[in-house]
Amino acid sequence: MRPQGYINMPPFLLLEAVCIFLFSRVPPSLPVQEVLVSRETVGKISVASKMMWCSAAVDILFLLDGSHSVGKGSFERSKHFAVTVCDALDISPDRVRVGALQFSSAPHLEFPLDSFSTRQEVKAKIKRMVFKGGRTETGLALKHLLRTGFPGGRNGSVPQVLILATDGKSQGHVAPLAKQLKERGVTVFAVGVRFPRWEELHTLASEPREQHVLLAEQVADATNGLLSTLSRSGICTAASPDCRVGAHPCERRTLETVRELAGNALCWRGSRRTNAVLATLCPFYSWKKVFLTHPATCYRTTCPGPCDSQPCQNGGTCVPEGLDRYHCLCPLAFGGEAHCAPKLSLECRIDVLFLLDSSAGATLEGFLRAKAFVKRFVQAVLSEDSRARVGVAGYSRELLVAVPVGEYQDVPDLVRSLDGVPFSGGPTLTGSALRQAAERGFGSAAGTGQHRPRRAVVLLTESPSQDEVAGPARHARARELLLLGVGSEAVRAELEEITGSPKHVMVYTDPQDLFNQIPELQGKLCSRLQPGCQAQSLDLVFMLDASASVGPENFAQMQSFVRSCALRFDVNPDVTQVGLVVFGSWVQTAFGLDAHPTLAAVLRATSQAPYLGGAGSAGTALLHIYDKVMTVQRGARPGVPKAVVMLTGGRGAEDAAVPAQKLRNNGVSVLVVGVGPVLREALRRLAGPRDSLIHVAAYSDLRYHQDQLIEWICGEAKRPVNLCKPSPCTNEGTCVLQNGSYRCECRDGWEGPHCENRVLRGDALKARGSRQEPAGDQEPSSSQLLQRRPGHPGR
């Protein structure tokens, strides 16, 4: 006999009920919140969350739900969310203060806002928070805050932000309490955990509600949304000017238990007073957990990505790799070349001689690597209709032309001939090899006059030369040879000196990187370098920030940049003079204007300039240039344009505006190259009336602004010159312009064209009389002497 209350359920309905019960225990695989954008945009949101940064005076209190309905696992995820947000906050007593409070059956203060002054301390304390458990008394926690305020806060004198992380299943009324809190000026973020009840989160959150409701389970997205809202509300500026906050469609889901009609089952209804039993069909219901979808709008910040410029050509797919790197997935027809460019081809008419370092310094391994590079290059760029001809020579003590230029027209034959190029060993005499290559490296392929093709020497080396290279390189360039250098970082400066331009140098870091230089070399062989203002007289001083705020690695980047710029000028006492000043804990003249008469000497001295460290003062450095560098006594030439190029990160430039103007008033042009993601206001003030300012985002980007700097320098070199600025007169003599030249009126006790000679007491009267009544055989005037000085306009 069946027990009372037993229902005879059909087997198929019983099976369905069991399945519903079992599947209700399975964790859902669908995301609780989903931003409906492309995978690329999702990646940009995640990347932007790591770049955002809030530095403002603001009090932020985390209110974390530690009740049993949330559970220990979701409580730990709430803590992880809070720690991630702290990574984007400038936590200090004067900027962002952070506190935390946990609530369940009762609120519990974890730490007030004035407890810790560093981000590391706050994060460590949040990680040590212990799950309490209990009822979800959100209302009691809000009452506590209404009664006591933010613990350890600044009494509302700065913006107050409450970040409430909960599942939204409070056991009391929260709407009136949340309203009172918001009316007191508190910005409330409602952050869902586990499967939140979105309606209650919207009730808790500030207006506009969709911007203040987030999900802690998706940490990067929630952090981005939080900081995006703080930026839009003006509480803090969290992203760079290039980044944008945008509205994106999104869906939020809630896991709810619902009753659903499952069908009809036979049931019996009757009366105890009768013997009749009534059989009928009764509805049968099942209970199951389902997702309810809530359409919404999510506001997120995205920053420009490396693929935004669509660098991949010919249908290639750009795949971002972090903030600024990417790679291209290319169609098969384009063979994986950089940017999926078409097949390389030397379309210009050119004769190329590869000059391989075969010395002991290169080692056999390095020599074989250079030969492999040449093989790959000719296979990639030479074709049947190519107008280029290639030869190969090796060198150590002597130059050996192993494959004469143009001897092999067939690419396979040319590649096979390279196997016969021998390794010699011996000293590394690059200078001698360059001279011999210019004289006999092209043999009968040279041709004459307009029928001669362009000629290029491609030098491959990893070892510094043991002989002088500047003279042979000038000799080669004078014979209209294009010199290109391919080598390791150790020989970069030497290759720049040989080729005459950093744009003619390719540096590699490993063997694979060497082969990646093939497309760049192909492009350089068929292009010409834009020259600087070679024939213009100029006194040029570079001033480098060598303080601790720059650091030794960035200082080395500035040194490399100065060397690259110097290569664009004809350095000698008659044309361009170059000086260098560094400043940090003190100011030092690395070398004066008249210290180095050749480009090679300037390049070496620039590499040897000291990194000083300490706190730098740009104003003191500019005054040092005014008093001790840009003077006639220290090598500056009267009548020659003068310019100072200052490279700095901006710190220590607050006192520099007045000294910079003093230099400009004295006829010296001043250009500021400011480096850093944000241009400091002190550098804007320093720029002067003609906007003499170049902003560079990072020290590694200096090379991209070289042409802009050269253009400015050449423009300043053409400006009219006042012969008396700076004054060529020493010992407080007065400079007087006269008939297109000048003369110096000396104080008593001094004489000479520049008042450089002291007059003895007994001769003072005679000297004064001789100035008043010049004799026929008097000494040459100052203007006559100046016409003999190198670089003077009258020369």
Side-chain angles (χ1 to χ4, degrees):
M1 187 173 180
R2 291 169 179 164
Q4 187 177 2
Y6 181 87
I7 298 177
N8 187 7
M9 184 180 297
F12 72 91
L13 292 178
L14 180 61
L15 177 62
E16 183 179 354
V18 171
C19 290
I20 291 172
F21 174 79
L22 291 175
F23 282 108
S24 68
R25 295 289 193 266
V26 177
S29 60
L30 289 173
V32 181
Q33 176 178 276
E34 184 177 11
V35 183
L36 304 178
V37 294
S38 66
R39 180 175 297 182
E40 180 185 358
T41 304
V42 171
K44 286 187 176 183
I45 291 172
S46 178
V47 168
S49 68
K50 298 179 177 65
M51 299 171 58
M52 301 172 80
W53 176 252
C54 179
S55 179
V58 58
D59 286 349
I60 296 180
L61 179 66
F62 288 100
L63 182 59
L64 305 185
D65 186 346
S67 66
H68 282 133
S69 68
V70 167
K72 189 175 188 305
S74 292
F75 179 74
E76 292 299 321
R77 286 190 286 274
S78 297
K79 287 166 52 179
H80 178 57
F81 164 70
V83 168
T84 305
V85 171
C86 288
D87 282 329
L89 302 177
D90 184 11
I91 298 176
S92 68
D94 298 329
R95 310 297 289 172
V96 182
R97 292 188 186 181
V98 174
L101 188 147
Q102 181 184 172
F103 74 93
S104 52
S105 299
H108 170 73
L109 179 63
E110 297 287 349
F111 59 95
L113 285 93
D114 57 357
S115 293
F116 304 113
S117 58
T118 67
R119 185 165 59 256
Q120 290 74 19
E121 293 173 316
V122 171
K123 289 170 58 178
K125 180 60 179 176
I126 292 175
K127 291 177 182 178
R128 292 197 299 268
M129 289 173 59
V130 178
F131 176 68
K132 299 292 184 184
R135 300 186 309 277
T136 312
E137 296 289 355
T138 312
L140 288 180
L142 297 179
K143 284 182 182 178
H144 176 77
L145 291 178
L146 287 169
R147 185 174 62 254
T148 63
F150 276 29
R154 283 167 276 192
N155 300 322
S157 61
V158 301
Q160 294 179 309
V161 177
L162 177 67
I163 302 176
L164 170 58
T166 178
D167 60 2
K169 300 173 183 176
S170 176
Q171 293 174 294
H173 296 292
V174 296
L177 300 170
K179 182 179 179 183
Q180 292 181 49
L181 201 62
K182 289 179 282 189
E183 287 174 348
R184 293 189 182 183
V186 177
T187 300
V188 180
F189 286 92
V191 183
V193 295
R194 208 173 179 216
F195 304 110
R197 186 174 294 153
W198 296 103
E199 294 83 356
E200 183 169 312
L201 295 183
H202 278 79
T203 301
L204 292 166
S206 293
E207 296 284 351
R209 290 175 177 174
E210 291 199 332
Q211 295 182 32
H212 292 81
V213 174
L214 306 164
L215 182 69
E217 313 282 334
Q218 297 166 332
V219 176
D221 179 77
T223 304
N224 185 304
L226 174 72
L227 294 170
S228 298
T229 302
L230 292 177
S231 293
R232 286 173 65 92
S233 61
I235 292 177
C236 64
T237 301
S240 69
D242 294 333
C243 302
R244 295 287 182 269
V245 179
H248 306 287
C250 60
E251 284 186 350
R252 292 166 178 156
R253 299 180 179 91
T254 306
L255 189 64
E256 298 284 356
T257 303
V258 297
R259 190 177 77 158
E260 190 176 74
L261 178 64
N264 295 310
L266 192 65
C267 64
W268 290 265
R269 292 177 181 176
S271 172
R272 292 182 179 180
R273 284 177 280 180
T274 66
N275 293 325
V277 177
L278 179 63
T280 185
L281 291 176
C282 300
F284 175 74
Y285 295 94
S286 64
W287 296 86
K288 63 180 181 180
K289 294 183 181 295
V290 296
F291 278 105
L292 300 181
T293 300
H294 307 271
T297 302
C298 292
Y299 292 83
R300 300 293 183 264
T301 296
T302 57
C303 301
C307 291
D308 286 358
S309 60
Q310 298 180 338
C312 303
Q313 306 171 30
N314 300 299
T317 302
C318 181
V319 180
E321 298 176 348
L323 302 180
D324 55 0
R325 297 177 63 86
Y326 67 91
H327 69 272
C328 294
L329 298 178
C330 304
L332 292 176
F334 297 94
E337 298 292 349
H339 306 107
C340 306
K343 179 174 173 57
L344 298 172
S345 176
L346 280 177
E347 298 179 354
C348 56
R349 184 166 176 254
I350 189 169
D351 288 346
V352 183
L353 177 66
F354 284 94
L355 190 56
L356 310 186
D357 183 353
S358 179
S359 68
T363 73
L364 176 60
E365 180 185 2
F367 176 72
L368 294 176
R369 184 161 54 242
K371 281 209 301 185
F373 173 82
V374 177
K375 287 182 179 181
R376 289 202 192 182
F377 179 84
V378 298
Q379 288 171 329
V381 305
L382 293 186
S383 59
E384 293 182 0
D385 57 350
S386 176
R387 296 189 297 163
R389 297 185 295 184
V390 173
V392 181
Y395 75 91
S396 57
R397 190 183 305 276
E398 295 289 335
L399 180 75
L400 172 63
V401 180
V403 181
V405 174
E407 181 170 329
Y408 293 95
Q409 296 296 323
D410 185 70
V411 173
D413 289 343
L414 174 59
V415 171
R416 282 192 294 270
S417 70
L418 295 176
D419 293 330
V421 181
F423 176 71
S424 303
T428 311
L429 303 182
T430 307
S432 174
L434 287 170
R435 188 176 295 277
Q436 293 177 66
E439 293 172 353
R440 60 182 181 86
F442 292 85
S444 60
T448 58
Q450 61 181 357
H451 301 292
R452 185 178 66 188
R454 191 182 187 196
R455 298 177 301 160
V457 173
V458 180
L459 171 64
L460 287 97
T461 180
E462 296 179 354
S463 54
S465 177
Q466 294 173 255
D467 63 349
E468 191 262 340
V469 296
R474 282 198 299 270
H475 173 71
R477 294 199 297 269
R479 296 172 68 94
E480 299 183 0
L481 283 181
L482 170 65
L483 300 183
L484 300 176
V486 182
S488 62
E489 183 66 41
V491 292
R492 178 196 289 269
E494 184 171 287
L495 291 178
E496 290 176 355
E497 184 178 2
I498 289 171
T499 63
S501 168
K503 291 188 175 182
H504 285 175
V505 175
M506 287 145 282
V507 172
Y508 57 89
T509 56
D510 54 58
Q512 183 55 48
D513 189 33
L514 167 61
F515 300 123
N516 292 339
Q517 307 297 323
I518 290 176
E520 185 176 358
L521 175 59
Q522 181 268 342
K524 292 182 185 299
L525 285 170
C526 292
S527 64
R528 295 185 180 273
L529 178 69
Q530 179 183 358
C533 40
Q534 295 278 346
Q536 202 74 29
S537 296
L538 180 68
D539 285 343
L540 177 61
V541 174
F542 288 94
M543 180 178 129
L544 304 187
D545 187 345
S547 65
S549 64
V550 171
E553 293 183 1
N554 291 331
F555 180 72
Q557 297 257 26
M558 289 194 287
Q559 287 176 293
S560 177
F561 179 67
V562 171
R563 290 197 306 268
S564 299
C565 293
L567 288 167
R568 302 284 286 272
F569 296 95
D570 184 4
V571 177
N572 68 66
D574 292 333
V575 186
T576 300
Q577 292 188 148
V578 178
L580 179 64
V581 171
V582 294
F583 69 96
S585 50
W586 69 92
V587 182
Q588 180 175 336
T589 302
F591 55 89
L593 287 167
D594 58 353
H596 300 299
T598 66
L599 175 61
V602 167
L603 295 176
R604 282 193 296 271
T606 302
S607 300
Q608 296 165 2
Y611 169 72
L612 304 178
S617 167
T620 303
L622 289 170
L623 289 176
H624 175 88
I625 292 175
Y626 181 92
D627 292 328
K628 299 181 180 179
V629 180
M630 279 293 189
T631 65
V632 172
Q633 302 93 304
R634 303 297 174 97
R637 296 165 295 174
V640 172
K642 293 169 175 57
V644 172
V645 176
M646 169 183 171
L647 284 85
T648 177
R651 295 186 181 179
E654 293 77 11
D655 62 345
V658 172
Q661 191 57 45
K662 187 174 182 180
L663 276 167
R664 291 187 178 107
N665 293 342
N666 206 34
V668 180
S669 300
V670 179
L671 174 73
V672 180
V673 180
V675 185
V678 178
L679 187 61
R680 296 177 180 271
E681 185 59 34
L683 294 182
R684 295 186 188 275
R685 294 195 301 269
L686 188 55
R690 294 202 303 276
D691 293 328
S692 302
L693 175 66
I694 297 175
H695 179 216
V696 181
Y699 289 94
S700 58
D701 294 338
L702 280 168
R703 61 185 185 275
Y704 301 128
H705 298 267
Q706 179 177 319
D707 289 343
Q708 184 182 0
L709 173 61
I710 298 299
E711 182 181 356
W712 180 87
I713 292 174
C714 294
E716 294 301 302
K718 296 175 183 176
R719 292 176 60 82
V721 177
N722 186 330
L723 298 178
C724 288
K725 289 185 177 182
S727 174
C729 307
T730 61
N731 300 305
E732 300 183 15
T734 303
C735 179
V736 179
L737 293 174
Q738 186 177 33
N739 298 328
S741 185
Y742 69 89
R743 60 183 175 83
C744 290
E745 293 184 351
C746 305
R747 293 188 308 133
D748 287 344
W750 299 93
E751 64 177 6
H754 299 100
C755 308
E756 69 275 18
N757 299 324
R758 184 183 293 276
V759 180
L760 299 177
R761 187 181 300 274
D763 298 335
L765 184 59
K766 183 187 299 182
R768 188 182 300 120
S770 65
R771 286 199 298 272
Q772 294 172 350
E773 299 179 5
D777 56 350
Q778 63 182 2
E779 291 293 319
S781 67
S782 59
S783 61
Q784 292 170 324
L785 288 171
L786 281 168
Q787 289 176 0
R788 302 175 186 172
R789 285 182 58 84
H792 189 270
R795 190 171 182 262

